Amino acid sequence: MSNEQNLKDQIIEKAWTDAEFKSKLLADPKSAIKDAFGVDIPEDINLNVVEETADSYYLVIPQNPADVNNNDVDAPMWA
């Protein structure tokens, strides 16, 4: 599992178990992640956090690998 996926999993788990973190994550995701995990997300990264419900589902279409520079494929999303 990649470090990026591991961080995503940790963020989701914390949101499920910590209502205060979840509220902050939905309102100000960069700050919430910085405070909880010490990860600085660069200003040029647009980060949206949404919550699925029983009647709302979000499908995320990842960037096409063909559109990515091969040198950047294994690079972490957030340095």
Side-chain angles (χ1 to χ4, degrees):
M1 181 181 304
S2 72
N3 286 339
E4 182 181 332
Q5 186 60 50
N6 188 32
L7 177 59
K8 287 179 184 179
D9 291 346
Q10 289 178 35
I11 292 167
I12 291 167
E13 184 175 328
K14 184 164 181 64
W16 285 342
T17 60
D18 183 337
E20 185 177 334
F21 171 74
K22 179 180 165 182
S23 292
K24 187 171 183 180
L25 183 65
L26 290 165
D28 185 0
K30 289 183 180 184
S31 177
I33 292 168
K34 170 67 175 171
D35 291 348
F37 298 96
V39 175
D40 284 311
I41 300 172
E43 289 293 322
D44 62 336
I45 298 292
N46 183 22
L47 178 60
N48 296 304
V49 175
V50 294
E51 180 181 16
E52 289 184 359
T53 64
D55 59 354
S56 295
Y57 181 80
Y58 300 91
L59 176 63
V60 176
I61 301 171
Q63 184 175 12
N64 185 334
D67 297 338
V68 178
N69 179 338
N70 287 338
N71 294 331
D72 295 336
V73 171
D74 294 329
M77 185 171 161
W78 306 315

